[in-house]
Amino acid sequence: MSGFLPISKQDMEACGWYYCDFLLVTGDAYVDHPSFGTAIISRVLEDAGFRVAILSQPDFHDERDFLAMGRPRYAVLINGGNIDSMVAHYTAAKKRRSDDAYTPGGKSGKRPDRAVTVYSMLARRAFPDTPIYLGGIEASLRRFAHYDYWADRVMPSILESTGADGLMYGMSERSVLELAENLKHGKKGADACREVRGTAYFAHSAAETPFEAVECPSFDEVSADKPQYARSVMLQYGEQDFVRGKALLQRHGKRVLVQNPPARPLSTAEMDRVYALPFMRAYHPSYEAQGGVPAIQEVQFSIIHNRGCFGACNFCALAFHQGRYISARSHESVLTEATQIAAMPEFKGYIHDVGGPTANFRFPSCKKQEEHGLCRDKRCLFPSACKNLEADHTDYLNLLRELRQIEGVKKVFVRSGLRYDYMMADRNDAFFRELVEHHISGQLKVAPEHMSDNVLYYMGKPSFSVYESFRERYARINQKLGRKQYLVPYLMSSHPGATLRDAVELACYLNRVGYMPEQVQDFYPTPGTLSTAMYYTGLDPRTMKPVFVAKTAEEKAMQRALLQWRRPDKRPIVLAALKKAGREDLIGFGKDCLIRPAHGEKPPAGRNAKPAKDARRRPAPPKKAGWAKPKRKK
């Protein structure tokens, strides 16, 4: 298994190890690729001289797998995987998923629900005196008391339920190295976190933190009082800035949860160093017989060039996890990785993506951020582009041009999310033109999410008019280039603030432009977002004003069905939704109608006259382009 980190006692012995410094436990299969947090953290520690063993998807029924490689010298590090284990297991409708892309063979059931909690308990049972620290998205978004959608109640910090000594939130390269050095020099438990930015831990007193601090409403208060929960979330969001952010305190019974200020983002040189580490860019060979790990397919020939997102949509956890500040790699670093990809035997000439959380961000949104941090109460792109925003795609465009010149590269795609509002704020069309000409294949996916400005306000997205302008501009550029490429909008139903009437208006718009989405994402109330706070409290934390929330299964199903109104299986619920919304005018034969009346039923009087019999006949199906008429045999 040359090149991979040890995953067994035999691997350790083959390396000449009789112990490891850190046992890194993960809910994913072991994939040594820079798109996976386990790979990044393990390689960063290895580069600093520490011995790291990987325990992936251990049997969660007892502690035997934890004991197999022996007690680690310094600590057990635990993450639930690249995505939250509950999201990996359940849909937004709380239905069990049948597969798991991060497991060999795509099989489900290899990790437990609430994986971080279960693994922590097993690690404590296996190694009672060894420190345990949490990381990854599952722990990061649960560092404070939080609403849990699956249990439908407010739960305490994950540090309370796991009994761990501390956790690292956000992108943790700096935090984990500082923590490791503290452990190496004899510090233990929560004390090893005390002065480390980007960490959280429990203390006996608020006076124990060395940073200036702000106190949130306690766990008892946010559990009993929804307005207090909403205020707590806004306080937490307000301090997630590495320049001006303060420590945050939240009482849990007799103890105080301390979140230290965020870690400083990596510089360009530091990011380059991380991405130059000796990743194998593959899953561990032991998974080959099980069919490999499906998740590698999307990222094996992709490149991450940035981190952070100043878009800060309310339903997205990025602002609370990675932060809004943009860090980016140098051109040289990205080109080196692309050259390595081009030399891989399986590479067919196509780089699948050059992106990140938002593909077209290469630098902070304005010059003030280095000194003053990001604005506490203002957004860079919402409700419209800030006057201080520097919208410039020149650097990203030059990077893409350089990538296209690498020998062996046929095509460079951009498939990560593109902020179309940021593109519209750039007065130079060069990036837009070259994106359409060189970096998409048949369709471009963007995320307007809705067309109702009422809903977009609660989402933290710009007015729908911005998307319409973008759509028209996209069409003009395609026409000028002689291309016929499509725009595919991602849409979301049942977001807080979205009423049934809003869903009807969106369906009417889609009908008018001739598009019906194959997939629609229901709003998923995951921990750590403003939208989830709206869902739970019925209040907008930004204003503390009431907000409508579709919570019943029927309400959600109606909004979702309206966006797929042409599907025969959705007809009964679409019909019921239109009647409930008082929009029977959309039941009929007119071009603006969404569905026809049931057989023998008349449309609403005076609204859509029933057409003549001949007019209702279906036209002959069009001939398929490219199909030749068969010749007669002689």
Side-chain angles (χ1 to χ4, degrees):
M1 307 306 176
S2 177
F4 288 88
L5 295 175
I7 65 168
S8 67
K9 191 69 172 178
Q10 291 79 6
D11 287 353
M12 290 173 63
E13 290 171 353
C15 294
W17 297 4
Y18 298 99
Y19 66 89
C20 64
D21 294 319
F22 294 96
L23 179 65
L24 201 164
V25 184
T26 178
D28 288 344
Y30 175 31
V31 181
D32 193 29
H33 187 283
S35 293
F36 289 73
T38 293
I40 291 266
I41 295 301
S42 61
R43 290 298 185 183
V44 165
L45 285 168
E46 179 196 39
D47 185 59
F50 295 99
R51 296 178 175 184
V52 185
I54 307 294
L55 179 58
S56 66
Q57 298 187 323
D59 185 338
F60 52 87
H61 297 96
D62 59 49
E63 66 271 25
R64 280 178 293 182
D65 282 357
F66 287 77
L67 293 165
M69 287 185 275
R71 177 183 176 275
R73 181 157 66 156
Y74 296 133
V76 179
L77 307 177
I78 297 174
N79 70 65
N82 257 23
I83 60 175
D84 188 292
S85 63
M86 297 301 284
V87 175
H89 285 170
Y90 299 97
T91 68
K94 300 185 183 179
K95 294 180 179 178
R96 189 82 182 187
R97 299 188 196 273
S98 59
D99 57 5
D100 185 341
Y102 293 89
T103 297
K107 295 179 180 179
S108 62
K110 288 288 287 182
R111 71 179 111 198
D113 288 354
R114 310 187 191 284
V116 171
T117 300
V118 175
Y119 293 156
S120 298
M121 292 176 176
L122 292 171
R124 184 65 77 204
R125 198 185 303 170
F127 311 114
D129 301 320
T130 302
I132 297 171
Y133 301 99
L134 314 178
I137 192 82
E138 185 168 333
S140 180
L141 300 184
R142 289 172 169 79
R143 58 191 185 266
F144 294 100
H146 56 279
Y147 171 70
D148 186 275
Y149 172 61
W150 303 276
D152 194 24
R153 63 183 175 88
V154 176
M155 298 183 74
S157 165
I158 196 168
L159 285 172
E160 176 84 13
S161 59
T162 59
D165 295 277
L167 67 75
M168 292 162 277
Y169 68 91
M171 309 305 285
S172 301
E173 292 96 340
R174 287 189 190 280
S175 307
V176 78
L177 288 177
E178 284 189 55
L179 182 65
E181 287 298 324
N182 286 345
L183 293 167
K184 184 178 177 180
H185 289 90
K187 291 187 177 181
K188 298 288 185 182
D191 189 50
C193 296
R194 206 169 306 281
E195 297 181 0
V196 180
R197 296 175 71 100
T199 65
Y201 59 93
F202 270 121
H204 295 293
S205 165
E208 292 181 35
T209 175
F211 300 98
E212 184 181 355
V214 176
E215 188 161 354
C216 301
S218 70
F219 169 59
D220 289 340
E221 289 173 321
V222 300
S223 299
D225 189 319
K226 290 184 177 180
Q228 287 284 64
Y229 184 94
R231 292 187 188 98
S232 181
V233 168
M234 279 308 293
L235 272 172
Q236 292 159 20
Y237 261 79
E239 302 302 331
Q240 302 307 313
D241 185 273
F242 75 95
V243 175
R244 55 167 180 76
K246 300 175 183 177
L248 283 158
L249 310 176
Q250 187 176 57
R251 296 184 184 277
H252 283 58
K254 294 182 179 180
R255 297 193 299 171
V256 180
L257 173 72
V258 180
Q259 180 208 268
N260 287 340
R264 185 174 184 83
L266 298 183
S267 66
T268 294
E270 289 168 330
M271 277 189 76
D272 288 354
R273 181 180 176 88
V274 168
Y275 285 88
L277 294 174
F279 300 102
M280 300 300 291
R281 302 190 67 86
Y283 52 75
H284 195 275
S286 63
Y287 304 135
E288 199 67 55
Q290 301 169 66
V293 181
I296 192 67
Q297 296 170 7
E298 286 295 317
V299 298
Q300 189 171 18
F301 305 123
S302 297
I303 300 171
I304 296 170
H305 74 88
N306 67 3
R307 287 182 180 177
C309 179
F310 54 73
C313 301
N314 291 338
F315 52 81
C316 179
L318 271 167
F320 203 56
H321 183 61
Q322 284 195 12
R324 293 190 289 155
Y325 185 84
I326 304 300
S327 302
R329 297 166 61 187
S330 69
H331 287 215
E332 292 75 18
S333 172
V334 174
L335 293 170
T336 297
E337 185 174 352
T339 303
Q340 292 171 350
I341 290 173
M344 295 172 69
E346 306 90 348
F347 183 65
K348 305 298 182 185
Y350 301 96
I351 293 178
H352 294 164
D353 188 26
V354 182
T358 296
N360 51 327
F361 291 168
R362 281 287 295 171
F363 46 81
S365 56
C366 73
K367 290 185 170 66
K368 298 180 179 180
Q369 292 173 13
E370 284 287 351
E371 184 178 353
H372 302 289
L374 284 105
C375 298
R376 182 187 298 273
D377 300 318
K378 294 181 181 179
R379 304 283 183 88
C380 303
L381 291 167
F382 173 80
S384 58
C386 175
K387 64 179 181 180
N388 295 316
L389 177 72
E390 297 180 18
D392 186 352
H393 289 84
T394 304
D395 187 55
Y396 187 40
L397 178 57
N398 288 336
L399 175 61
L400 294 173
R401 286 171 174 168
E402 291 174 75
L403 287 167
R404 297 202 305 257
Q405 302 305 312
I406 293 175
E407 186 177 354
V409 173
K410 299 175 184 176
K411 189 90 170 178
V412 178
F413 292 108
V414 177
R415 297 170 66 189
S416 293
L418 284 161
R419 284 298 298 227
Y420 61 85
D421 45 350
Y422 184 70
M423 290 174 64
M424 294 302 291
D426 188 348
R427 296 181 181 179
N428 188 336
D429 253 357
F431 170 72
F432 207 154
R433 287 197 309 271
E434 291 200 26
L435 175 74
V436 172
E437 186 174 6
H438 296 292
H439 301 291
I440 60 177
S441 179
Q443 60 185 27
L444 175 64
K445 296 179 180 179
V446 292
E449 306 294 357
H450 216 284
M451 56 75 62
S452 164
D453 281 353
N454 169 62
V455 182
L456 293 170
Y457 167 78
Y458 291 107
M459 289 180 166
K461 299 280 286 186
S463 169
F464 189 65
S465 61
V466 180
Y467 173 75
E468 284 290 79
S469 298
F470 175 83
R471 188 169 70 90
E472 292 167 5
R473 195 164 166 185
Y474 178 74
R476 286 198 303 270
I477 292 173
N478 270 285
Q479 186 177 27
K480 190 172 182 179
L481 293 171
R483 303 288 177 86
K484 189 176 182 180
Q485 300 185 113
Y486 299 96
L487 194 61
V488 178
Y490 287 121
L491 300 169
M492 184 185 295
S493 62
S494 305
H495 186 277
T499 65
L500 190 59
R501 184 166 292 275
D502 290 319
V504 171
E505 292 304 318
L506 178 53
C508 290
Y509 167 79
L510 295 173
N511 185 37
R512 192 162 60 249
V513 299
Y515 175 73
M516 189 184 80
E518 292 182 9
Q519 293 182 324
V520 175
Q521 174 62 56
D522 280 341
F523 169 65
Y524 204 154
T526 54
T529 72
L530 289 177
S531 296
T532 297
M534 293 181 202
Y535 176 88
Y536 168 61
T537 64
L539 299 169
D540 184 344
R542 301 168 300 177
T543 63
M544 296 304 293
K545 292 180 179 179
V547 56
F548 171 79
V549 179
K551 281 197 172 183
T552 69
E554 181 187 41
E555 288 175 311
K556 292 181 179 182
M558 283 183 171
Q559 290 203 27
R560 182 185 180 92
L562 280 164
L563 305 190
Q564 297 177 308
W565 73 96
R566 289 181 189 164
R567 282 178 46 174
D569 61 316
K570 302 292 184 185
R571 177 184 169 81
I573 196 164
V574 171
L575 193 61
L578 293 175
K579 290 180 178 178
K580 185 175 181 178
R583 294 302 306 270
E584 290 94 338
D585 57 306
L586 297 174
I587 305 168
F589 300 99
K591 65 177 183 178
D592 295 328
C593 292
L594 296 179
I595 59 172
R596 293 187 174 189
H599 182 69
E601 182 182 325
K602 293 183 179 180
R607 290 176 178 172
N608 293 289
K610 196 171 184 177
K613 186 176 181 180
D614 289 344
R616 295 201 307 272
R617 289 179 182 171
R618 292 185 178 181
K623 293 180 179 179
K624 295 182 179 179
W627 284 64
K629 186 176 180 180
K631 295 180 180 179
R632 288 185 179 181
K633 292 182 179 180
K634 292 182 180 179

